[in-house]
Amino acid sequence: MAQQDDEDKAEHPPQVTVCVIAYNSGPTLRTCLQRLGAQTFRDFEALVIDNDSPDPGDAAIAAEFPWVRLIRNTENLGFTGAGNQGAREGRGRWYVLLNPDAYAEPDWLAKLVEAAGRHPQVASFTSRQMVEGEPGLLDGLGDVMSITGIPYRGGYLNPDQGQAREGEVFSPCGAAMMIDRQLFLELGGFDEDFFCYGEDVDLGYRLQLAGEPTLLVPDATIHHVGSASSGGRKSEFAVFHGTRNRFWVLFKNTPALLLPLVVPLHLASLVLIYLKKDNRPHIRLILRAVAAAFAGAPKMFRSRAAVQRRRKAGLGEISRAMTWNPRDLSGRRPVIRPLRALR
């Protein structure tokens, strides 16, 4: 009977692979999996990758759920390495990434799959994210790229005023995204040099360059704690990797004619941000991150050559996908555009 079950699984792979990457996730992981197990859409497999967490509780929590396939790594591959591992291990047509501190509404997966059915030409989708424990407060409506080269989650920490509508955003947020698994692999998945932070924006930028839009599905909702595994949004880990990786996103992906504009604007914006009183304690850390970004620039420019060879979108399309309005960045305003007609 067990052999027959294995044969059935091989012949009839699930429609969706959901991957949860755990690292010191603790009790948020249990809640995440409880909510995942309550989904109305059932044609999915669930992978939990324990990324060599020093907290042995992560694997024990995942083992409480018999429908979860637990993968235990012997080293921490970062979100990028484990995310690529999940895509290789998965069997679904669609690859879904869900943070261990993200709690899905019961119809979350159903809404993502329904959107894919309505838009068969679209291969990348992102969710409506609310702040867990703060009713009515947005965590994000897809990621936005500003002309300064600083990405942000659209609507982050803004009141939800019903502004969410289905439409294109610059890139998906890795906390709760769905992408065609084969396309993800063909694009090279996440850049493992990033390790953590900014890898979803880098992927989204490569999708843009390849002419592949990302669609916000506003009725596919998760509630996000945020930075539960990395010590908080302003931890040294988050600040260093976030700062370094933002430069790398620009070096790899920005069209050549935009680079002379974007990089100086990015540096100027960074100075303005970290001269603020609350950010001054991080100045030395920021300088180390900038030094690391430029030290890694040659490798990023080598990666850039392969990225630009796959490029299908013109300069105008990439420019329109960004926001040029400084008020969007300062107010973290969502930027959602009507879905373009695809070739």
Side-chain angles (χ1 to χ4, degrees):
M1 184 66 180
Q3 182 179 356
Q4 183 63 50
D5 288 344
D6 290 342
E7 289 174 0
D8 289 345
K9 288 179 181 178
E11 291 177 10
H12 304 286
Q15 191 171 355
V16 174
T17 295
V18 180
C19 181
V20 179
I21 300 166
Y23 182 82
N24 274 8
S25 302
T28 65
L29 177 61
R30 181 178 288 109
T31 304
C32 170
L33 294 177
Q34 287 170 342
R35 301 287 180 87
L36 184 58
Q39 291 298 295
T40 58
F41 178 85
R42 304 305 304 169
D43 189 13
F44 71 92
E45 63 174 347
L47 310 179
V48 171
I49 299 179
D50 180 359
N51 224 357
D52 192 32
S53 174
D55 177 1
D58 284 359
I61 289 168
E64 295 173 14
F65 301 86
W67 44 272
V68 166
R69 178 152 61 105
L70 174 63
I71 299 171
R72 301 185 71 164
N73 286 337
T74 57
E75 61 178 312
N76 185 357
L77 303 179
F79 187 85
T80 56
N84 292 343
Q85 181 184 17
R88 293 190 300 268
E89 292 280 346
R91 297 179 301 119
R93 185 240 164 132
W94 294 104
Y95 184 46
V96 171
L97 285 152
L98 179 66
N99 272 15
D101 62 351
Y103 309 148
E105 293 285 344
D107 62 352
W108 170 67
L109 271 181
K111 295 298 185 182
L112 288 173
V113 173
E114 287 170 12
R118 287 196 307 275
H119 303 285
Q121 76 279 32
V122 177
S124 172
F125 300 85
T126 196
S127 308
R128 175 174 170 261
Q129 299 176 198
M130 305 298 296
V131 176
E132 168 62 14
E134 296 284 349
L137 194 64
L138 286 166
D139 181 72
L141 296 171
D143 287 347
V144 183
M145 176 60 79
S146 70
I147 191 58
T148 64
I150 295 180
Y152 64 92
R153 290 207 295 272
Y156 180 65
L157 298 185
N158 287 346
D160 183 7
Q161 299 176 336
Q163 69 267 52
R165 65 183 187 277
E166 188 172 274
E168 276 192 53
V169 293
F170 187 85
S171 63
C173 176
M177 62 173 282
M178 182 173 85
I179 186 169
D180 182 285
R181 189 170 63 88
Q182 193 57 43
L183 175 63
F184 179 85
L185 292 170
E186 287 172 2
L187 289 174
F190 292 128
D191 186 331
E192 296 186 17
D193 287 320
F194 282 51
F195 191 78
C196 188
Y197 287 100
E199 73 289 321
D200 48 358
V201 179
D202 173 63
L203 174 67
Y205 212 142
R206 283 183 279 134
L207 284 165
Q208 289 284 348
L209 292 168
E212 298 281 356
T214 292
L215 189 74
L216 170 70
V217 185
D219 51 0
T221 302
I222 61 108
H223 301 265
H224 190 207
V225 176
S227 300
S229 298
S230 61
R233 190 169 57 91
K234 289 197 174 183
S235 69
E236 289 194 4
F237 180 89
V239 170
F240 177 85
H241 285 81
T243 302
R244 183 196 67 179
N245 292 354
R246 283 194 294 269
F247 278 99
W248 284 358
V249 169
L250 301 185
F251 294 158
K252 274 182 64 178
N253 301 294
T254 308
L257 291 176
L258 282 177
L259 265 177
L261 172 65
V262 174
V263 172
L265 285 174
H266 189 73
L267 285 165
S269 299
L270 202 63
V271 170
L272 290 174
I273 290 169
Y274 284 99
L275 283 179
K276 291 181 179 180
K277 185 177 180 180
D278 291 348
N279 294 326
R280 287 176 194 167
H282 290 300
I283 286 178
R284 289 191 178 184
L285 180 62
I286 293 301
L287 292 175
R288 282 204 296 115
V290 172
F294 280 88
K299 189 171 186 179
M300 290 300 113
F301 276 96
R302 288 194 294 272
S303 298
R304 173 187 177 84
V307 169
Q308 298 300 324
R309 278 198 300 271
R310 295 193 194 101
R311 177 176 162 184
K312 295 180 181 177
L315 178 63
E317 291 173 278
I318 298 301
S319 298
R320 286 191 295 273
M322 299 177 176
T323 178
W324 293 62
N325 187 341
R327 292 184 179 180
D328 287 341
L329 174 59
S330 62
R332 298 193 183 98
R333 298 195 300 207
V335 177
I336 306 166
R337 296 181 172 87
L339 182 63
R340 75 189 92 161
L342 297 177
R343 293 187 286 271

